[in-house]
Amino acid sequence: MNITKEQIDDLNAVVKVAISKEDYQDKVEKILNDYRKQANIPGFRKGQVPMGLIKKQYGKAVLVDEVNKLLQDNLNKYLTEEKLDVLGNPLPKQPENFDWDNDNLDFEFELGLAPNFEVQLKTKKAVTHYKIVADKKMIDDQVERIQKQYGKLVSKTEVGKADEVTGTFVNEAEDINNKTTIEVDKVKAKKAVDALAGKKVGDTVTLSTKGLFKEDYLLSSALGISRDKADNLNTEVTFTIEEINERQPAPLDQELFDKLFGKDNVKSAKELKDRIKEDSEKQFEQQSDQKLLNDITERLIDDTKFELPAEFLKKWIQVSGEQMLSDDEANEEFERSEKGLRYQLIEGKIIQENNLQVQFDELKEFAKGFIKSQMAQYGHMDPKEEELENIAVRVMSNQDEVKRLSEQLMSQKLLDLYKEKANLKVKEVSYDDFIKEAYS
């Protein structure tokens, strides 16, 4: 067997594979002999079928199968040994009238080669790295929510503007019949607030659904209908009052602090606000980091210029899926995937040049951290190391989970690298301003 490469240009090459009869004959003969031993053909005893008949019936299929195996194994080995960085897979250039009866068989494969380029992490224009701070209003609002959440309900005889009212919404035509509790201070429509004010248990009021609440999502849960239906609903519903309560806020005392953070971990309102600020900004950091990762990705794609073997990739896209694509479909798919392919090449080069690797031990520690944060969401704040170890072992026995966690850990390594070496401009903003600037 002889394999040679013809370089067409920097991004395209053709590999030629010459296979002689000696390369495949022994394997083909062995398989055909095995077929002969097992063949059951009427008129012949088992194992006594003439080899000529076996070759006539199976010879071509066996030959094609064995030659294709030789091609696959040796082509992959050649690409590895020659350190050819190919995009997609080699595409065969086999003519339609290929003659499998020749003793010597010649094959050609088109290759699309990865381009040579440099990545500059210090981009010309700085990328904004948002540092989201919890402002006074956000902290005060959170304290107020905590006080309401842990406060006590006091029964009332009449509806006031800050009360919680339990009742049933009804509209037979829209198939609405739902018992719920609403907070009057979350009702937006002035007519609705005025209609509820002063009402007593047993009273029924008629309310318009359009613009009923300050937050649109509240309507679907209040009426017990889907969000899509609620968004387009413009009708009237009756609301029959069954219970009226005032939620008196919990005092900012040690009992409340201990419920929230454990005994004596927080001892004053100031410490409570400091803790809320710290915890909130940790959560904001995840959003800020994701925004930074997205923005640097976009900047690197824009700033790192290189050509791709576009025509080869379009041909490869045409034939690589379950169904053959038309020229137009392949062009469209290439345009959709080109940006992602460019970043894969850029990211791969960054990982290689900075020797970023995911080791098993650090992946297991990363998994433990992820598990610990998940457990904390369900109130399990201090799991034992043995418990974390056992769960991590189970998680890492699942290859899909290992792949997902490895990708997350590599993203974190890239993010750390960008924070260290990229051209960043830190900007402090409130959460509301971050949302406006980042996603407007």
Side-chain angles (χ1 to χ4, degrees):
M1 180 182 296
N2 184 39
I3 303 180
T4 58
K5 177 171 70 74
E6 178 187 347
Q7 193 76 29
I8 306 302
D9 55 39
D10 289 343
L11 299 175
N12 295 274
V14 172
V15 169
K16 298 180 180 181
V17 184
I19 297 180
S20 65
K21 189 173 183 179
E22 290 76 17
D23 294 321
Y24 59 81
Q25 186 175 23
D26 288 347
K27 288 186 178 180
V28 170
E29 291 292 339
K30 181 181 183 304
I31 292 171
L32 291 176
N33 276 319
D34 289 342
Y35 277 19
R36 182 171 181 252
K37 293 174 184 177
Q38 300 299 324
N40 286 311
I41 296 179
F44 300 96
R45 288 194 305 173
K46 186 175 180 180
Q48 299 300 315
V49 180
M51 179 56 79
L53 187 58
I54 294 293
K55 286 185 177 180
K56 184 177 180 181
Q57 190 164 354
Y58 302 109
K60 183 63 68 66
V62 171
L63 169 67
V64 171
D65 189 46
E66 286 305 308
V67 168
N68 279 327
K69 287 178 183 176
L70 271 176
L71 281 171
Q72 187 70 43
D73 292 344
N74 286 278
L75 186 57
N76 288 339
K77 183 180 178 183
Y78 175 81
L79 297 177
T80 301
E81 290 176 348
E82 295 296 315
K83 298 179 180 179
L84 294 177
D85 193 0
V86 299
L87 301 180
N89 292 315
L91 290 178
K93 293 180 66 178
Q94 188 169 314
E96 292 182 8
N97 58 347
F98 188 82
D99 188 1
W100 286 94
D101 292 327
N102 285 335
D103 288 345
N104 298 316
L105 303 172
D106 294 322
F107 301 90
E108 291 187 358
F109 295 87
E110 294 181 65
L111 302 182
L113 304 177
N116 289 318
F117 59 91
E118 292 184 359
V119 180
Q120 299 293 335
L121 291 180
K122 287 281 186 184
T123 53
K124 295 178 183 178
K125 187 178 179 182
V127 177
T128 301
H129 181 196
Y130 292 97
K131 178 175 172 54
I132 308 171
V133 295
D135 56 21
K136 182 178 183 302
K137 181 179 183 304
M138 172 176 282
I139 295 169
D140 289 344
D141 288 346
Q142 179 67 6
V143 170
E144 185 179 330
R145 281 193 291 272
I146 290 171
Q147 287 184 276
K148 287 180 71 174
Q149 180 182 349
Y150 288 89
K152 63 180 181 180
L153 291 176
V154 177
S155 180
K156 292 185 63 179
T157 57
E158 293 184 356
V159 177
K161 290 187 177 181
D163 292 339
E164 297 180 10
V165 184
T166 300
T168 302
F169 282 104
V170 174
N171 180 309
E172 292 183 2
E174 296 292 344
D175 196 25
I176 294 170
N177 190 317
N178 190 57
K179 182 175 179 178
T180 188
T181 298
I182 63 172
E183 297 175 45
V184 178
D185 61 3
K186 291 185 179 179
V187 175
K188 179 180 178 181
K190 186 175 183 305
K191 284 186 178 180
V193 174
D194 291 342
L196 288 166
K199 292 298 186 292
K200 300 178 180 179
V201 171
D203 289 345
T204 297
V205 295
T206 299
L207 306 173
S208 173
T209 60
K210 187 172 178 62
L212 181 57
F213 293 103
K214 294 176 182 177
E215 301 291 341
D216 292 338
Y217 74 89
L218 292 172
L219 185 63
S220 61
S221 59
L223 302 184
I225 58 177
S226 70
R227 181 67 188 271
D228 288 342
K229 181 175 180 179
D231 288 344
N232 298 299
L233 191 64
N234 184 7
T235 188
E236 289 186 339
V237 290
T238 60
F239 182 64
T240 301
I241 298 170
E242 300 172 28
E243 190 177 343
I244 305 166
N245 291 298
E246 176 187 4
R247 186 174 290 275
Q248 293 183 348
L252 296 176
D253 57 15
Q254 196 60 48
E255 181 182 354
L256 177 62
F257 304 151
D258 290 348
K259 282 181 183 177
L260 293 170
F261 301 107
K263 186 168 178 58
D264 293 335
N265 287 320
V266 170
K267 296 183 178 180
S268 68
K270 182 182 182 305
E271 288 184 17
L272 171 65
K273 292 181 178 182
D274 289 344
R275 184 66 176 265
I276 290 172
K277 179 179 175 65
E278 179 186 348
D279 291 348
S280 297
E281 290 179 354
K282 279 183 182 176
Q283 293 179 348
F284 297 154
E285 188 175 354
Q286 295 178 358
Q287 289 179 267
S288 173
D289 282 351
Q290 187 59 57
K291 173 65 176 167
L292 178 62
L293 195 58
N294 293 344
D295 288 348
I296 290 181
T297 297
E298 293 290 335
R299 184 62 54 79
L300 289 172
I301 292 172
D302 289 342
D303 287 4
T304 308
K305 306 298 184 184
F306 54 82
E307 295 296 321
L308 290 171
E311 293 308 311
F312 168 84
L313 289 170
K314 290 173 186 177
K315 282 197 283 186
W316 176 68
I317 287 170
Q318 260 189 308
V319 300
S320 61
E322 292 182 2
Q323 293 183 332
M324 180 82 171
L325 300 182
S326 68
D327 289 346
D328 288 342
E329 289 171 333
N331 288 338
E332 290 174 6
E333 182 59 32
F334 174 73
E335 289 176 4
R336 282 194 294 268
S337 59
E338 181 182 4
K339 191 173 184 179
L341 174 58
R342 286 183 177 277
Y343 185 66
Q344 283 180 15
L345 292 171
I346 293 168
E347 185 184 77
K349 196 169 188 68
I350 293 170
I351 290 171
Q352 181 184 26
E353 290 182 346
N354 292 277
N355 195 29
L356 300 181
Q357 299 177 11
V358 173
Q359 304 291 347
F360 179 81
D361 288 343
E362 63 179 347
L363 183 61
K364 188 163 77 169
E365 289 304 311
F366 183 76
K368 287 181 184 178
F370 179 77
I371 294 163
K372 193 172 182 179
S373 66
Q374 291 291 101
M375 295 173 77
Q377 292 181 18
Y378 294 94
H380 194 358
M381 305 301 293
D382 191 24
K384 294 181 179 178
E385 177 62 23
E386 182 181 357
E387 186 178 9
L388 288 174
E389 179 75 19
N390 290 337
I391 298 173
V393 168
R394 288 201 302 272
V395 168
M396 295 188 69
S397 67
N398 183 319
Q399 290 303 308
D400 290 337
E401 284 297 308
V402 169
K403 182 175 182 292
R404 184 178 65 83
L405 289 168
S406 296
E407 289 171 352
Q408 290 182 358
L409 180 53
M410 182 55 74
S411 289
Q412 185 60 53
K413 286 175 175 283
L414 285 166
L415 186 63
D416 293 341
L417 178 70
Y418 296 154
K419 286 180 178 180
E420 177 188 350
K421 295 187 176 182
N423 183 12
L424 304 181
K425 175 180 66 177
V426 178
K427 183 176 183 179
E428 283 197 2
V429 291
S430 68
Y431 182 73
D432 288 342
D433 287 341
F434 169 74
I435 295 299
K436 288 176 186 175
E437 289 194 30
Y439 303 108
S440 59

